[in-house]
Amino acid sequence: MSEAEDRKPRSDEARATFDPEITSEFAIPEGLAVARGSAESETTSEFAVPKGLESAQAETEPEGSAFNTPRTYSLKDAPPAFTPATGVPMITLVTDAPWQDRMRTMLRMPVAERPALEPVARSAEEGPAVPRVLDLTLRIGELLLAGGEGAEDVEAAMFAVCRSYGLDRCEPTVTFTLLSITYQPSLVEDPVTASRTVRRRGTDYTRLAAVFRLVDDITDPETHLSLEEAYRRLAEMRRNRHPYPGWALTLASGVLAGAASVLVGGDVIVFVAAALGAMLGDRLAWLLAGRGLPEFYQFTVAAMPPAAIGVAFALADVDVKASAVVTGGLFALLPGRALVAGVQDGLTGFYITASARLLEVMYFFVAIVIGVLTVLYFGVHIGGELNPDAALNIQSRPVLQILASMVLSLTFAVLLQQERSTVPWVTLNGGVAWSVYGALHYTAGISPVASTAVAAGLVGLFGQLLARYRFASALPFTTAAIGPLLPGSATYFGLLSIAQSEVDKGLVSLAKAVSLAMAIAIGVNLGAEISRLTLRIGSAGKRRAAKRTRGF
């Protein structure tokens, strides 16, 4: 061997063979003959079929197995799940429909079938930052959900805001206390998710209407509302005070209770007594709220003064209808707004939110039951003559009851902090609701549950039409109008029967109250759905349903 060859670098195998001082964990041990073709030169994969298994696999594996080699689909025998040869028909939305209808239609269709955003000519500057758009969307959704809006309408508003600022691949999620939204820029980029918790709830339909106007301006392509302007308007809504002062709300609760007592047969003395009891209960509830007590105890205390005044009339043997006093006080406390929203969420497929809302309604109802039942129990045991059969002797006074129902709806609208421009409409809607109920129940002799459902359906129908006419939420036009239909008398007489140890009779009356409440909620929702079906909305063809599973 020449000297030049000695200076050449040797391979690892050669060094391991001839130089015993140099070792490597990858070196082939001495004396082990390994064929060069069997070294780690072949690539392996965990998805590769082991050698020698191809023939056995073809015989044992059924067609469509994950271990079969994919076959090539031809146009002739292509399965129906794939795109047909004629293509997929393009879905277009009606552009002149309100944004609520357009966004609701998109939310109710599969994600793959949603039409994409139309290309918009953008300037050289980038669009708004994604985190800021998501934050604005969550803040708008928080105001809507805290104001009592249904979960589907909250999702529609959040979806509309995101798409208006160019974020088309977004998915909002609404529960009773949590809002979240996810945006995915593309299929290969990581999604961006933001969430917000709703901790405080308040009834202010004026603020709710302002939020709807903001969303309407954001979705209007001719307005071009910037992100900064939207934030400024949102801050103004939060800073604005309620349209009615506290003393006006207390007075409205008293007048509401008095008008409700007239509906069930009360006179002037009963009107005044029911009003005083409701106002005293309202002030006590405000006092407890200032001390930080939960609403459960506020409702319990607020239900006691009207019941105590009714029992006092019975003990004094005054020739007045004591049951009407207690019933009037209950009308001001029954949670009709939360009940309608809860049933609406359940009918539209938001079962978690619906369960939470209905559980809240149950807690409020139990609080009212405890307050009234406590007073009635002591009143009956000290000699108060209260007659549960008085429910069968309610007189029909059409003109007076229609006027009382309109006053009840008006004061209910004040309690809900509605805009002054909507109060006349909801007052008229409440009068129509009681007129329909009275004509069906008192004149035609139809059951109270069916009569209530029909009257509530008309309330929902008219409320939806008015909301579409004003491009606003339907809640201000429907919630106060269902006030005359609330089951105050059935609740009171059921509690009175239980206080007099007639438990079976009391449970029947309470079951009737629950049936009336469900009839109100379902009727309102059905009327709104009929209104949408009869108008030109949605995608080409027919309007999609929220769920098509039929329970499976």
Side-chain angles (χ1 to χ4, degrees), residues 469-524:
Y469 173 73
R470 298 172 64 94
F471 288 88
S473 171
L475 285 181
F477 301 102
T478 58
T479 305
I482 65 173
L485 304 176
L486 292 175
S489 59
T491 303
Y492 162 69
F493 289 114
L495 298 179
L496 180 58
S497 298
I498 294 176
Q500 294 181 347
S501 300
E502 298 179 1
V503 179
D504 294 339
K505 188 176 180 180
L507 292 179
V508 170
S509 185
L510 291 179
K512 177 183 176 182
V514 173
S515 301
L516 291 173
M518 294 297 294
I520 292 173
I522 295 175
V524 170

Short mmCIF file of all heavy atoms in Angstrom, two decimals, residues 469-524:
data_model
loop_
_atom_site.label_atom_id
_atom_site.label_comp_id
_atom_site.label_asym_id
_atom_site.label_seq_id
_atom_site.Cartn_x
_atom_site.Cartn_y
_atom_site.Cartn_z
N TYR A 469 -91.00 46.07 10.54
CA TYR A 469 -91.30 47.40 10.01
C TYR A 469 -90.30 48.44 10.54
O TYR A 469 -89.89 49.34 9.82
CB TYR A 469 -92.72 47.80 10.38
CG TYR A 469 -93.09 49.22 10.03
CD1 TYR A 469 -93.30 49.60 8.71
CD2 TYR A 469 -93.22 50.19 11.02
CE1 TYR A 469 -93.63 50.90 8.38
CE2 TYR A 469 -93.55 51.49 10.71
CZ TYR A 469 -93.76 51.84 9.38
OH TYR A 469 -94.07 53.14 9.08
N ARG A 470 -89.89 48.28 11.80
CA ARG A 470 -88.98 49.23 12.43
C ARG A 470 -87.53 48.73 12.44
O ARG A 470 -86.66 49.39 13.00
CB ARG A 470 -89.42 49.51 13.86
CG ARG A 470 -90.80 50.14 13.95
CD ARG A 470 -91.26 50.21 15.38
NE ARG A 470 -90.40 51.06 16.19
CZ ARG A 470 -90.63 52.34 16.42
NH1 ARG A 470 -91.71 52.93 15.92
NH2 ARG A 470 -89.81 53.06 17.17
N PHE A 471 -87.25 47.55 11.87
CA PHE A 471 -85.92 46.96 11.84
C PHE A 471 -85.33 46.89 13.26
O PHE A 471 -84.21 47.33 13.53
CB PHE A 471 -84.98 47.74 10.92
CG PHE A 471 -85.27 47.55 9.47
CD1 PHE A 471 -86.19 48.36 8.82
CD2 PHE A 471 -84.66 46.54 8.76
CE1 PHE A 471 -86.47 48.19 7.48
CE2 PHE A 471 -84.94 46.35 7.42
CZ PHE A 471 -85.86 47.17 6.78
N ALA A 472 -86.12 46.35 14.19
CA ALA A 472 -85.72 46.29 15.59
C ALA A 472 -86.02 44.91 16.13
O ALA A 472 -86.49 44.01 15.42
CB ALA A 472 -86.46 47.36 16.40
N SER A 473 -85.75 44.73 17.43
CA SER A 473 -86.05 43.47 18.10
C SER A 473 -87.55 43.35 18.31
O SER A 473 -88.27 44.34 18.49
CB SER A 473 -85.32 43.42 19.44
OG SER A 473 -85.74 42.30 20.19
N ALA A 474 -88.04 42.11 18.32
CA ALA A 474 -89.45 41.86 18.53
C ALA A 474 -89.83 41.84 20.00
O ALA A 474 -91.02 41.90 20.33
CB ALA A 474 -89.85 40.54 17.87
N LEU A 475 -88.86 41.75 20.90
CA LEU A 475 -89.16 41.66 22.33
C LEU A 475 -89.96 42.85 22.85
O LEU A 475 -90.92 42.67 23.60
CB LEU A 475 -87.87 41.48 23.13
CG LEU A 475 -87.21 40.11 23.09
CD1 LEU A 475 -85.97 40.10 23.95
CD2 LEU A 475 -88.17 39.04 23.55
N PRO A 476 -89.59 44.11 22.52
CA PRO A 476 -90.38 45.23 23.05
C PRO A 476 -91.83 45.24 22.60
O PRO A 476 -92.67 45.86 23.27
CB PRO A 476 -89.63 46.47 22.51
CG PRO A 476 -88.25 46.00 22.26
CD PRO A 476 -88.40 44.59 21.81
N PHE A 477 -92.16 44.56 21.52
CA PHE A 477 -93.53 44.57 21.01
C PHE A 477 -94.33 43.36 21.48
O PHE A 477 -95.55 43.32 21.27
CB PHE A 477 -93.52 44.61 19.48
CG PHE A 477 -92.82 45.81 18.91
CD1 PHE A 477 -91.53 45.69 18.41
CD2 PHE A 477 -93.42 47.05 18.89
CE1 PHE A 477 -90.87 46.78 17.88
CE2 PHE A 477 -92.76 48.15 18.37
CZ PHE A 477 -91.48 48.01 17.87
N THR A 478 -93.68 42.38 22.07
CA THR A 478 -94.38 41.17 22.47
C THR A 478 -94.39 40.93 23.97
O THR A 478 -95.40 40.47 24.52
CB THR A 478 -93.75 39.94 21.79
OG1 THR A 478 -92.35 39.88 22.13
CG2 THR A 478 -93.88 40.03 20.28
N THR A 479 -93.29 41.23 24.66
CA THR A 479 -93.18 40.86 26.07
C THR A 479 -94.24 41.56 26.92
O THR A 479 -94.93 40.92 27.73
CB THR A 479 -91.79 41.20 26.60
OG1 THR A 479 -90.81 40.56 25.76
CG2 THR A 479 -91.62 40.72 28.02
N ALA A 480 -94.37 42.87 26.76
CA ALA A 480 -95.36 43.60 27.57
C ALA A 480 -96.78 43.26 27.14
O ALA A 480 -97.71 43.32 27.96
CB ALA A 480 -95.11 45.10 27.46
N ALA A 481 -96.99 42.89 25.89
CA ALA A 481 -98.34 42.60 25.40
C ALA A 481 -98.90 41.30 25.96
O ALA A 481 -100.12 41.11 25.98
CB ALA A 481 -98.35 42.55 23.87
N ILE A 482 -98.03 40.40 26.41
CA ILE A 482 -98.53 39.14 26.98
C ILE A 482 -98.85 39.29 28.46
O ILE A 482 -99.30 38.32 29.09
CB ILE A 482 -97.51 38.00 26.80
CG1 ILE A 482 -96.24 38.28 27.60
CG2 ILE A 482 -97.21 37.77 25.33
CD1 ILE A 482 -95.26 37.14 27.62
N GLY A 483 -98.63 40.48 29.02
CA GLY A 483 -98.92 40.68 30.44
C GLY A 483 -100.33 40.33 30.85
O GLY A 483 -100.53 39.64 31.87
N PRO A 484 -101.38 40.75 30.10
CA PRO A 484 -102.74 40.38 30.51
C PRO A 484 -103.03 38.88 30.46
O PRO A 484 -104.01 38.42 31.08
CB PRO A 484 -103.62 41.12 29.48
CG PRO A 484 -102.77 42.23 28.98
CD PRO A 484 -101.37 41.70 28.99
N LEU A 485 -102.21 38.11 29.76
CA LEU A 485 -102.47 36.67 29.63
C LEU A 485 -101.76 35.84 30.69
O LEU A 485 -101.96 34.63 30.76
CB LEU A 485 -102.02 36.19 28.25
CG LEU A 485 -102.64 36.91 27.05
CD1 LEU A 485 -102.02 36.39 25.75
CD2 LEU A 485 -104.15 36.73 27.02
N LEU A 486 -100.92 36.45 31.53
CA LEU A 486 -100.16 35.69 32.52
C LEU A 486 -101.09 35.01 33.53
O LEU A 486 -102.11 35.58 33.92
CB LEU A 486 -99.18 36.62 33.25
CG LEU A 486 -98.03 37.16 32.39
CD1 LEU A 486 -97.20 38.15 33.19
CD2 LEU A 486 -97.16 36.05 31.86
N PRO A 487 -100.75 33.81 33.97
CA PRO A 487 -101.66 33.03 34.84
C PRO A 487 -101.58 33.44 36.31
O PRO A 487 -101.22 32.64 37.17
CB PRO A 487 -101.18 31.60 34.62
CG PRO A 487 -99.72 31.74 34.34
CD PRO A 487 -99.56 33.02 33.58
N GLY A 488 -101.94 34.66 36.62
CA GLY A 488 -101.89 35.10 38.01
C GLY A 488 -102.97 34.48 38.88
O GLY A 488 -102.71 34.05 40.01
N SER A 489 -104.20 34.43 38.39
CA SER A 489 -105.30 33.90 39.19
C SER A 489 -105.14 32.40 39.43
O SER A 489 -105.38 31.91 40.54
CB SER A 489 -106.64 34.19 38.50
OG SER A 489 -106.67 33.61 37.21
N ALA A 490 -104.72 31.65 38.41
CA ALA A 490 -104.53 30.21 38.59
C ALA A 490 -103.43 29.93 39.60
O ALA A 490 -103.53 29.00 40.41
CB ALA A 490 -104.19 29.56 37.25
N THR A 491 -102.39 30.74 39.60
CA THR A 491 -101.32 30.57 40.58
C THR A 491 -101.83 30.84 41.99
O THR A 491 -101.56 30.06 42.93
CB THR A 491 -100.15 31.52 40.25
OG1 THR A 491 -99.70 31.26 38.92
CG2 THR A 491 -99.01 31.32 41.21
N TYR A 492 -102.56 31.93 42.16
CA TYR A 492 -103.04 32.29 43.50
C TYR A 492 -103.99 31.22 44.06
O TYR A 492 -103.85 30.78 45.20
CB TYR A 492 -103.73 33.64 43.47
CG TYR A 492 -104.60 33.89 44.68
CD1 TYR A 492 -104.03 34.08 45.94
CD2 TYR A 492 -105.99 33.91 44.57
CE1 TYR A 492 -104.82 34.29 47.06
CE2 TYR A 492 -106.78 34.12 45.68
CZ TYR A 492 -106.20 34.31 46.92
OH TYR A 492 -106.98 34.50 48.03
N PHE A 493 -104.97 30.81 43.27
CA PHE A 493 -105.95 29.86 43.79
C PHE A 493 -105.33 28.48 44.05
O PHE A 493 -105.76 27.75 44.94
CB PHE A 493 -107.13 29.74 42.83
CG PHE A 493 -108.00 30.96 42.81
CD1 PHE A 493 -108.09 31.75 41.68
CD2 PHE A 493 -108.72 31.33 43.93
CE1 PHE A 493 -108.89 32.88 41.66
CE2 PHE A 493 -109.51 32.46 43.94
CZ PHE A 493 -109.60 33.24 42.79
N GLY A 494 -104.29 28.14 43.30
CA GLY A 494 -103.57 26.90 43.61
C GLY A 494 -102.85 26.98 44.93
O GLY A 494 -102.88 26.04 45.74
N LEU A 495 -102.19 28.12 45.20
CA LEU A 495 -101.51 28.30 46.48
C LEU A 495 -102.51 28.35 47.64
O LEU A 495 -102.23 27.83 48.74
CB LEU A 495 -100.67 29.57 46.44
CG LEU A 495 -99.54 29.61 45.39
CD1 LEU A 495 -98.81 30.94 45.45
CD2 LEU A 495 -98.58 28.46 45.61
N LEU A 496 -103.66 28.99 47.41
CA LEU A 496 -104.66 29.06 48.47
C LEU A 496 -105.21 27.68 48.81
O LEU A 496 -105.41 27.36 49.99
CB LEU A 496 -105.79 29.99 48.03
CG LEU A 496 -106.94 30.18 49.03
CD1 LEU A 496 -106.43 30.72 50.35
CD2 LEU A 496 -108.01 31.10 48.44
N SER A 497 -105.42 26.85 47.82
CA SER A 497 -105.90 25.50 48.10
C SER A 497 -104.87 24.70 48.89
O SER A 497 -105.22 23.94 49.80
CB SER A 497 -106.23 24.79 46.78
OG SER A 497 -107.26 25.46 46.08
N ILE A 498 -103.60 24.86 48.55
CA ILE A 498 -102.56 24.16 49.31
C ILE A 498 -102.51 24.66 50.75
O ILE A 498 -102.35 23.88 51.70
CB ILE A 498 -101.20 24.33 48.61
CG1 ILE A 498 -101.21 23.63 47.26
CG2 ILE A 498 -100.06 23.79 49.47
CD1 ILE A 498 -99.95 23.83 46.45
N ALA A 499 -102.68 25.99 50.94
CA ALA A 499 -102.68 26.53 52.30
C ALA A 499 -103.85 26.02 53.12
O ALA A 499 -103.77 25.94 54.35
CB ALA A 499 -102.71 28.06 52.24
N GLN A 500 -104.96 25.66 52.48
CA GLN A 500 -106.13 25.13 53.18
C GLN A 500 -106.14 23.60 53.20
O GLN A 500 -107.19 22.99 53.37
CB GLN A 500 -107.41 25.66 52.52
CG GLN A 500 -107.58 27.17 52.69
CD GLN A 500 -108.85 27.68 52.05
OE1 GLN A 500 -109.50 26.97 51.28
NE2 GLN A 500 -109.22 28.91 52.37
N SER A 501 -104.96 22.99 52.98
CA SER A 501 -104.76 21.54 53.05
C SER A 501 -105.49 20.79 51.94
O SER A 501 -105.69 19.58 52.05
CB SER A 501 -105.22 21.00 54.42
OG SER A 501 -104.46 21.60 55.46
N GLU A 502 -105.87 21.46 50.88
CA GLU A 502 -106.46 20.79 49.71
C GLU A 502 -105.37 20.68 48.64
O GLU A 502 -105.36 21.40 47.64
CB GLU A 502 -107.67 21.57 49.20
CG GLU A 502 -108.79 21.67 50.22
CD GLU A 502 -109.97 22.46 49.69
OE1 GLU A 502 -109.90 22.92 48.53
OE2 GLU A 502 -110.95 22.63 50.43
N VAL A 503 -104.44 19.76 48.91
CA VAL A 503 -103.23 19.68 48.08
C VAL A 503 -103.56 19.26 46.66
O VAL A 503 -103.03 19.82 45.68
CB VAL A 503 -102.22 18.72 48.73
CG1 VAL A 503 -100.96 18.61 47.86
CG2 VAL A 503 -101.86 19.18 50.12
N ASP A 504 -104.41 18.27 46.49
CA ASP A 504 -104.75 17.79 45.15
C ASP A 504 -105.37 18.90 44.31
O ASP A 504 -105.00 19.10 43.14
CB ASP A 504 -105.70 16.60 45.24
CG ASP A 504 -105.05 15.39 45.89
OD1 ASP A 504 -103.80 15.34 45.90
OD2 ASP A 504 -105.78 14.52 46.39
N LYS A 505 -106.30 19.60 44.89
CA LYS A 505 -106.94 20.70 44.16
C LYS A 505 -105.94 21.81 43.85
O LYS A 505 -105.97 22.42 42.78
CB LYS A 505 -108.09 21.24 45.01
CG LYS A 505 -108.97 22.25 44.31
CD LYS A 505 -110.13 22.64 45.19
CE LYS A 505 -111.03 23.67 44.49
NZ LYS A 505 -112.17 24.05 45.36
N GLY A 506 -105.03 22.06 44.78
CA GLY A 506 -104.02 23.09 44.54
C GLY A 506 -103.06 22.71 43.44
O GLY A 506 -102.68 23.55 42.61
N LEU A 507 -102.64 21.45 43.41
CA LEU A 507 -101.71 21.02 42.36
C LEU A 507 -102.37 21.08 40.99
O LEU A 507 -101.70 21.40 39.99
CB LEU A 507 -101.23 19.60 42.66
CG LEU A 507 -100.33 19.45 43.89
CD1 LEU A 507 -99.95 17.99 44.09
CD2 LEU A 507 -99.08 20.31 43.75
N VAL A 508 -103.66 20.78 40.92
CA VAL A 508 -104.37 20.89 39.64
C VAL A 508 -104.38 22.34 39.17
O VAL A 508 -104.15 22.62 37.98
CB VAL A 508 -105.80 20.34 39.78
CG1 VAL A 508 -106.62 20.68 38.54
CG2 VAL A 508 -105.78 18.85 40.00
N SER A 509 -104.62 23.27 40.07
CA SER A 509 -104.62 24.67 39.69
C SER A 509 -103.23 25.15 39.28
O SER A 509 -103.08 25.91 38.32
CB SER A 509 -105.16 25.52 40.85
OG SER A 509 -105.28 26.87 40.47
N LEU A 510 -102.20 24.70 39.99
CA LEU A 510 -100.83 25.07 39.61
C LEU A 510 -100.45 24.45 38.27
O LEU A 510 -99.73 25.08 37.47
CB LEU A 510 -99.85 24.64 40.70
CG LEU A 510 -99.93 25.40 42.02
CD1 LEU A 510 -98.91 24.85 43.01
CD2 LEU A 510 -99.69 26.89 41.80
N ALA A 511 -100.90 23.24 38.01
CA ALA A 511 -100.65 22.63 36.70
C ALA A 511 -101.33 23.42 35.59
O ALA A 511 -100.79 23.58 34.48
CB ALA A 511 -101.13 21.18 36.69
N LYS A 512 -102.51 23.95 35.89
CA LYS A 512 -103.18 24.81 34.92
C LYS A 512 -102.38 26.08 34.67
O LYS A 512 -102.26 26.55 33.53
CB LYS A 512 -104.58 25.15 35.43
CG LYS A 512 -105.34 26.10 34.53
CD LYS A 512 -106.69 26.46 35.13
CE LYS A 512 -107.42 27.50 34.26
NZ LYS A 512 -108.72 27.88 34.87
N ALA A 513 -101.78 26.64 35.73
CA ALA A 513 -100.95 27.84 35.58
C ALA A 513 -99.74 27.56 34.70
O ALA A 513 -99.37 28.36 33.83
CB ALA A 513 -100.52 28.36 36.95
N VAL A 514 -99.12 26.40 34.90
CA VAL A 514 -97.97 26.02 34.08
C VAL A 514 -98.39 25.83 32.63
O VAL A 514 -97.69 26.24 31.69
CB VAL A 514 -97.31 24.76 34.65
CG1 VAL A 514 -96.21 24.26 33.71
CG2 VAL A 514 -96.73 25.04 36.03
N SER A 515 -99.55 25.21 32.41
CA SER A 515 -100.04 25.01 31.04
C SER A 515 -100.32 26.34 30.36
O SER A 515 -100.00 26.52 29.17
CB SER A 515 -101.32 24.17 31.07
OG SER A 515 -101.08 22.91 31.66
N LEU A 516 -100.88 27.30 31.08
CA LEU A 516 -101.13 28.61 30.50
C LEU A 516 -99.81 29.32 30.16
O LEU A 516 -99.70 29.96 29.10
CB LEU A 516 -101.94 29.46 31.48
CG LEU A 516 -103.39 29.03 31.70
CD1 LEU A 516 -104.01 29.85 32.83
CD2 LEU A 516 -104.21 29.19 30.43
N ALA A 517 -98.83 29.17 31.04
CA ALA A 517 -97.54 29.81 30.77
C ALA A 517 -96.88 29.21 29.53
O ALA A 517 -96.33 29.93 28.68
CB ALA A 517 -96.63 29.66 31.99
N MET A 518 -96.92 27.88 29.39
CA MET A 518 -96.35 27.26 28.21
C MET A 518 -97.13 27.63 26.96
O MET A 518 -96.55 27.81 25.88
CB MET A 518 -96.34 25.74 28.39
CG MET A 518 -95.42 25.25 29.49
SD MET A 518 -93.68 25.63 29.17
CE MET A 518 -93.38 24.62 27.74
N ALA A 519 -98.44 27.75 27.08
CA ALA A 519 -99.25 28.17 25.92
C ALA A 519 -98.86 29.57 25.46
O ALA A 519 -98.81 29.86 24.26
CB ALA A 519 -100.73 28.11 26.26
N ILE A 520 -98.59 30.45 26.42
CA ILE A 520 -98.16 31.81 26.06
C ILE A 520 -96.84 31.77 25.30
O ILE A 520 -96.69 32.38 24.24
CB ILE A 520 -98.04 32.67 27.33
CG1 ILE A 520 -99.41 32.93 27.95
CG2 ILE A 520 -97.36 34.00 27.02
CD1 ILE A 520 -99.35 33.61 29.30
N ALA A 521 -95.88 31.06 25.86
CA ALA A 521 -94.54 31.05 25.25
C ALA A 521 -94.56 30.40 23.87
O ALA A 521 -93.99 30.93 22.91
CB ALA A 521 -93.57 30.31 26.18
N ILE A 522 -95.23 29.26 23.74
CA ILE A 522 -95.28 28.57 22.44
C ILE A 522 -96.08 29.39 21.43
O ILE A 522 -95.73 29.48 20.25
CB ILE A 522 -95.87 27.17 22.62
CG1 ILE A 522 -94.94 26.31 23.47
CG2 ILE A 522 -96.10 26.50 21.27
CD1 ILE A 522 -95.48 24.94 23.80
N GLY A 523 -97.17 30.02 21.89
CA GLY A 523 -97.96 30.84 20.98
C GLY A 523 -97.18 32.02 20.44
O GLY A 523 -97.26 32.33 19.24
N VAL A 524 -96.42 32.69 21.30
CA VAL A 524 -95.62 33.83 20.85
C VAL A 524 -94.58 33.39 19.82
O VAL A 524 -94.39 34.02 18.77
CB VAL A 524 -94.94 34.52 22.05
CG1 VAL A 524 -93.91 35.53 21.58
CG2 VAL A 524 -95.99 35.21 22.92
#
